[in-house]
Amino acid sequence: MALYDDTLALLRELIRNACVNDMTPASGQEVRNADSLERFFDGVPGICIDRYESAPGRVSIVVTVAGTDPEAEPLTLLGHTDVVPVDHSRWETDPFGAEIIDGRLYGRGSMDMLFITASMAAVARDVALAGPPTGTLYFVGVADEEARGGLGAKWLSEQHPDAFSWRNCLSETGGSHLPVADGSDALVVVVGEKGSAQRRLTVTGDAGHASNPYGRVSAVATIAEVVRRISLIDLPVSQDPLWRGFVRAFHFSPAIEHALLNGSDNSAFEHFGELSRYAHALSRLTISQTILNSGSAINVLPSSATLDLDIRPLPGTTQEEVDEILIDALGDLADLVQIERLISEPASVSPTDGPLYRAMVDTFDEFFPGVPVIPTVAAGGSDLRFARRLDGVGYGFALHARERTMGDVFALLHSHDEYIELEDLDLTLNAYRSLARRFLGV
């Protein structure tokens, strides 16, 4: 009980520190959470604590619990300490008050991902207090995850790649349940994430006074046609085993399963219920038109217009293939459109085998005996992609009560009145404790 109480107290402190990352270099100020974490380990024997500051106040902390066997597999618990901004007017609770109401802890970052970060820290301290493990354990409280890690995990992987081991990493999130059609259970483990292929499409037109449009090429009209053609892109369903395994885990009827696996009827995605949007994103490359921009004065014909696209490719899709899809959709307009690559990162995925994956599956079975574990890919990003780039493996790991579906967890990410069920904090803490002991030989 003391371990849980200490974890809860730490979690509430991390929330109250309000390390809000608005994607500007001066925000975040994760130094506050780094200080809290360092105090949490104060007086613990057999550990080493290092701090890394990528910019003023943007501090990541690395706690090392050295193992007795340098040849044994290491384990890295990779938790981030920043949170996204809040709209105070939409919250019914204090977003940084860390209030406990009816078995729930409310606060920004409670679900994403401070409850996991606090559990990781508590388990690392517990392992250190129990005596040296066989394999080395690292706990990392990393800055700037919410802004894609430029001042956090990405910076560490490039500037200090040896600060900790990237070989076996755990981070957010997993361990929620699928609403299987026949009422049975299935647990989710995140083994990868889609990539990024952001694009800016630019067209030009004839500038001039808006009172004399005759004979002039309209950049606005051209970009409108670009928007229309992009919206008509019909992408095929993936044949990746992860997608096919995800569909089959739901035990749909043969007709529904066939429609989903072959892409013959898009309305079949409605059978996923609250997970329909996620399932659709998992099934294919997605293209979202997000920013349209042209002109600055109502009486001036603009000389250019731009359309920004948030494109998320699946593992195996190249940036060149993304450009080819766009060019094909543009047809005879392709020569009039400049395609600029913005953030472009490949998708990444870790194997559904190996020592760490098996340890996760065995841990899930300890808490939910006989329940199948379904590997899947996150539609968004996480710091785990940097581990995979450095030839390590990375998995999203946590644990939720039976009634908490994957959709329930998704709904709370970056939401108003974000909260974590205290029952799930306890489950995640004990799952990490069990997995660490199983994997490290504690």
Side-chain angles (χ1 to χ4, degrees):
M1 194 63 182
L3 183 62
Y4 170 81
D5 291 341
D6 289 348
T7 307
L8 177 58
L10 174 63
L11 173 56
R12 299 181 79 181
E13 184 175 343
L14 297 179
I15 293 171
R16 288 167 177 158
N17 283 338
C19 296
V20 176
N21 185 349
D22 65 10
M23 299 193 180
T24 61
S27 68
Q29 293 301 301
E30 296 90 344
V31 61
R32 296 191 291 271
N33 275 342
D35 289 345
S36 291
L37 289 166
E38 188 163 359
R39 286 193 298 270
F40 185 75
F41 286 93
D42 186 47
V44 177
I47 64 169
C48 176
I49 298 178
D50 296 294
R51 293 164 66 102
Y52 297 88
E53 189 169 27
S54 56
R58 310 308 297 273
V59 177
S60 298
I61 184 171
V62 178
V63 178
T64 303
V65 185
T68 58
D69 182 358
E71 301 301 317
E73 290 283 344
L75 177 63
T76 297
L77 308 181
L78 189 61
H80 71 76
T81 58
D82 60 328
V83 302
V84 297
V86 300
D87 180 350
H88 287 265
S89 68
R90 301 291 298 276
W91 282 65
E92 295 183 5
T93 59
D94 179 353
F96 303 108
E99 299 175 61
I100 296 175
I101 304 171
D102 296 330
R104 294 172 174 174
L105 173 62
Y106 287 83
R108 174 56 87 217
S110 55
M111 178 66 78
D112 182 15
M113 65 170 285
L114 296 180
F115 89 99
I116 301 176
T117 301
S119 296
M120 290 172 165
V123 167
R125 192 178 74 169
D126 183 64
V127 168
L129 289 172
T134 302
T136 296
L137 174 64
Y138 301 91
F139 163 70
V140 186
V142 69
D144 202 39
E145 190 275 343
E146 297 293 357
R148 300 192 68 82
L151 296 174
K154 183 177 187 293
W155 181 82
L156 285 168
S157 70
E158 294 171 349
Q159 302 299 319
H160 301 280
D162 299 322
F164 55 90
S165 172
W166 297 89
R167 182 176 174 85
N168 299 295
C169 293
L170 297 176
S171 191
E172 57 184 346
T173 185
S176 56
H177 301 258
L178 295 181
V180 182
D182 62 9
S184 60
D185 194 11
L187 280 160
V188 172
V189 61
V190 178
V191 302
E193 59 195 62
K194 297 181 79 174
S196 179
Q198 295 179 357
R199 296 292 187 268
R200 175 166 293 157
L201 309 188
T202 302
V203 302
T204 59
D206 296 330
H209 200 287
S211 64
N212 292 274
Y214 178 74
R216 289 190 168 112
V217 175
S218 170
V220 172
T222 304
I223 203 69
E225 177 60 15
V226 169
V227 168
R228 189 188 71 84
R229 294 188 185 190
I230 296 297
S231 71
L232 295 176
I233 294 176
D234 185 20
L235 295 167
V237 168
S238 170
Q239 297 304 305
D240 188 276
L242 289 175
W243 163 242
R244 302 180 75 83
F246 184 80
V247 172
R248 289 172 175 145
F250 281 81
H251 299 169
F252 292 128
S253 71
I256 294 172
E257 184 176 295
H258 177 81
L260 290 166
L261 293 179
N262 293 278
S264 57
D265 181 6
N266 267 341
S267 67
F269 282 93
E270 297 304 317
H271 292 281
F272 285 106
E274 62 189 0
L275 289 174
S276 59
R277 289 189 182 91
Y278 168 76
H280 184 271
L282 181 60
S283 75
R284 67 196 71 200
L285 177 144
T286 57
I287 302 175
S288 294
Q289 306 187 67
T290 55
I291 301 176
L292 188 63
N293 193 18
S294 183
S296 59
I298 197 169
N299 62 342
V300 178
L301 296 172
S303 59
S304 66
T306 61
L307 170 66
D308 287 359
L309 306 175
D310 187 347
I311 302 175
R312 304 296 177 108
L314 287 164
T317 301
T318 67
Q319 299 294 327
E320 291 72 24
E321 287 170 333
V322 171
D323 289 338
E324 290 171 6
I325 290 169
L326 297 176
I327 291 169
D328 183 63
L330 292 170
D332 60 357
L333 286 181
D335 290 340
L336 304 178
V337 180
Q338 175 190 345
I339 301 177
E340 178 186 358
R341 295 184 184 183
L342 303 179
I343 295 177
S344 300
E345 296 181 318
S348 65
V349 65
S350 296
T352 54
D353 195 11
L356 183 53
Y357 187 82
R358 290 193 294 270
M360 287 192 300
V361 171
D362 290 344
T363 301
F364 279 142
D365 191 65
E366 176 186 340
F367 291 87
F368 292 94
V371 173
V373 176
I374 309 302
T376 189
V377 173
S382 80
D383 285 336
L384 290 172
R385 67 189 185 280
F386 303 113
R388 300 185 189 107
R389 290 179 192 176
L390 292 174
D391 298 322
V393 299
Y395 302 100
F397 182 76
L399 194 58
H400 297 269
R402 171 69 176 87
E403 59 269 26
R404 241 78 75 204
T405 68
M406 191 179 189
D408 293 333
V409 173
F410 281 175
L412 287 167
L413 301 177
H414 299 185
S415 69
H416 308 307
D417 289 311
E418 179 183 355
Y419 65 83
I420 182 68
E421 300 277 356
L422 294 181
E423 180 183 14
D424 292 352
L425 173 64
D426 188 44
L427 278 169
T428 295
L429 172 64
N430 284 296
Y432 265 99
R433 189 183 193 189
S434 176
L435 187 149
R437 292 179 172 181
R438 176 177 284 110
F439 188 77
L440 294 171
V442 176

